[in-house]
């Protein structure tokens, strides 16, 4: 435990157990468990991190062996993102593959925070080699690094994709915010993609939904990611995404993530949203595809979320390549409307490694 962290405890202090699951959990079952009052009240959970006892991440990893990369899902994912189907798998497919496993881990009754309400701040995928359609992989998910944040607590959900020989193929790290509790200045309020990478950061929907849920609760000048809106000066746009009301349903059909806040205005309003919002990893995956990354090479894919993308709606995007260092960068934002200035929604950076 670091000095000044008070009651925040770390699962790393206890020996980790690995639990083998027979199959990848289903999203509907996970969301049903998250909505169960017994889940919210069971285990060590407090209210918004305000409990009197220590908050400790469970020292357990979930593992699913021999998961096949489905050709139809990979093809549909490529097409949904606007790219051609290839034999090499989009890293967004790896995220989708592991996401329900990590959500199931966070839906445990001994998990200290409710799954509903988590805010997805950042995501990083570090992929060491290409993955092909039809490959068999093992998926391991764990949580780590619980620490104070000025808006509550943050932690990382880490998904590891392994080959049949135990080789680490890719690592997917999602950084989540738990809002509530006493604010702390011990953790920076936001981290740009390049900074997250240098710090070594490598699941989203009730978690992926939550990234946007929290963003809507930010004050007028600062996003949940912590970067000041006043500091954002949009670049010259290179394109505009026009997203239909069915965007969330289309992504849900491919990914399996049927979080109701993404599906329709009616279901989103039941959870306090004025309209449906796009999955954060949909926008990140689409930006990855449009960056035209060489999937045959190792890569790092960094994403920072700042504000939700409402549906239907439009987003301005700007892409910029730097061939000298092998990076492609995309920023997406809502254009200014009336007295409201432009608002950054997400930032994506892809770096080709080992060039």
């Amino acid at each position: 435990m670091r000095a000044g962290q008070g009651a925040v405890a770390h699962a790393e202090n206890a020996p980790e157990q690995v639990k083998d699951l027979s199959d990848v959990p289903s999203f509907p079952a996970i969301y049903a468990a998250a909505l169960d009052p017994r889940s919210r009240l069971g285990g060590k959970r407090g209210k918004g991190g305000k409990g009197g006892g220590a908050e400790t991440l469970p020292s357990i990893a979930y593992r699913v062996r021999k998961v096949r990369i489905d050709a139809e899902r990979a093809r549909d994912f490529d097409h949904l993102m606007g790219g051609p189907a290839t034999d090499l798998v989009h890293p967004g497919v790896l995220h989708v593959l592991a996401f329900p496993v990590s959500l199931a881990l966070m839906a445990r009754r001994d998990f200290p925070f409710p799954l509903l309400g988590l805010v997805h701040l950042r995501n990083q995928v570090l992929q060491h080699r290409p993955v092909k359609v039809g490959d068999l992989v093992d998926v391991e998910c764990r949580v780590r690094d619980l620490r104070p944040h000025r808006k509550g607590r943050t932690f990382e959900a880490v998904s590891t994709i392994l080959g049949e020989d135990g080789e680490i193929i890719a690592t997917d790290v999602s950084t989540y915010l738990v809002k509530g509790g006493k604010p702390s200045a011990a953790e920076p309020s936001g981290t740009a993609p390049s900074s997250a990478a240098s710090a070594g950061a490598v699941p989203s929907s009730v978690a992926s939904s939550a990234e946007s849920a929290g963003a809507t609760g930010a004050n007028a000048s600062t996003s949940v990611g912590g970067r000041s809106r006043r500091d954002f000066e949009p670049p010259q746009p290179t394109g505009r995404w026009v997203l239909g009301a069915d965007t969330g349903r289309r992504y849900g059909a491919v990914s399996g993530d049927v979080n109701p806040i993404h599906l329709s205005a009616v279901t989103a309003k039941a959870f306090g949203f004025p309209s449906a919002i796009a999955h954060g990893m949909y926008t990140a995956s689409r930006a990855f595809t449009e960056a035209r990354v060489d999937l045959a090479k190792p890569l790092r894919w960094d994403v920072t979320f700042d504000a939700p993308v409402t549906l239907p709606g439009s987003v301005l995007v700007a892409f910029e390549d730097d061939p000298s260092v092998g990076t492609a960068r995309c920023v997406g934002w809502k254009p200014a409307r009336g007295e409201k200035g432009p608002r950054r929604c997400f930032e994506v950076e892809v770096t080709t490694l080992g060039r």
Side-chain angles (χ1 to χ4, degrees):
M1 182 182 299
R2 297 183 181 182
Q5 288 190 352
V8 178
H10 292 266
E12 296 95 312
N13 296 334
E16 182 185 72
Q17 298 178 344
V18 178
K19 180 178 180 179
D20 284 301
L21 307 182
S22 60
D23 202 353
V24 175
S26 72
F27 281 106
I30 294 169
Y31 291 146
L35 289 168
D36 186 339
R38 293 172 298 176
S39 296
R40 294 197 297 274
L41 299 176
K44 301 177 182 178
R45 289 192 173 110
K47 295 182 179 180
K50 297 180 182 179
E55 295 159 347
T56 305
L57 297 175
S59 298
I60 189 169
Y62 278 7
R63 178 171 61 195
V64 184
R65 295 186 181 274
K66 296 185 176 181
V67 181
R68 188 172 299 280
I69 307 294
D70 182 72
E72 184 176 349
R73 169 186 262 186
R75 178 203 65 203
D76 291 347
F77 194 94
D78 285 336
H79 289 166
L80 181 63
M81 299 308 153
T86 72
D87 290 337
L88 299 182
V89 176
H90 191 301
V93 173
L94 301 182
H95 177 88
V96 164
L97 186 71
F99 186 42
V101 183
S102 63
L103 280 188
L105 178 58
M106 293 189 286
R108 288 171 56 93
R109 291 192 181 183
D110 63 349
F111 195 76
F113 311 112
L115 181 61
L116 293 169
L118 295 179
V119 181
H120 195 183
L121 297 181
R122 300 182 292 275
N123 211 85
Q124 183 186 82
V125 174
L126 181 63
Q127 186 169 320
H128 302 286
R129 69 163 176 83
V131 181
K132 293 185 177 181
V133 170
D135 281 358
L136 283 173
V137 298
D138 293 348
V139 179
E140 290 186 6
C141 297
R142 49 184 50 84
V143 288
R144 71 182 186 191
D145 200 22
L146 180 62
R147 62 174 62 197
H149 184 280
R150 68 184 185 84
K151 289 183 177 290
R153 303 283 191 271
T154 61
F155 68 92
E156 293 177 342
V158 184
S159 300
T160 307
I161 309 296
L162 304 103
E164 293 184 90
D165 58 356
E167 167 203 13
I168 295 178
I169 298 173
T171 306
D172 180 319
V173 176
S174 299
T175 302
Y176 292 109
L177 169 68
V178 183
K179 298 186 72 177
K182 185 177 179 180
S184 171
E187 166 75 358
S189 57
T191 307
S194 57
S195 300
S198 63
V202 176
S204 129
S205 275
V206 175
S208 188
S209 68
E211 79 213 11
S212 302
T216 59
N219 62 43
S221 62
T222 306
S223 70
V224 164
R227 302 186 292 187
S228 172
R229 296 180 196 170
R230 297 191 184 99
D231 293 340
F232 177 59
E233 296 184 5
Q236 184 68 27
T238 59
R240 178 190 293 267
W241 295 351
V242 179
L243 306 178
D246 64 344
T247 299
R249 294 192 292 275
R250 293 172 64 206
Y251 182 81
V254 173
S255 68
D257 186 354
V258 290
N259 187 338
I261 70 167
H262 301 301
L263 303 183
S264 71
V266 173
T267 56
K269 286 177 181 177
F271 291 86
F273 290 86
S275 64
I277 54 178
H279 294 77
M281 291 305 291
Y282 165 80
T283 58
S285 297
R286 179 167 172 175
F288 182 98
T289 295
E290 294 191 11
R292 300 180 181 178
V293 180
D294 185 353
L295 289 173
K297 296 180 179 179
L299 60 90
R300 190 181 67 231
W301 176 29
D302 295 286
V303 186
T304 301
F305 298 109
D306 287 285
V309 175
T310 54
L311 301 173
S314 64
V315 181
L316 294 176
V317 293
F319 286 84
E320 182 181 7
D321 295 338
D322 188 346
S324 66
V325 293
T327 62
R329 181 173 174 269
C330 171
V331 60
W333 70 96
K334 294 179 181 178
R337 296 185 67 181
E339 297 181 354
K340 293 183 178 180
R343 186 178 182 188
R344 177 172 43 207
C345 297
F346 59 87
E347 191 171 347
V348 176
E349 185 173 282
V350 185
T351 304
T352 300
L353 306 175
R355 295 182 304 127

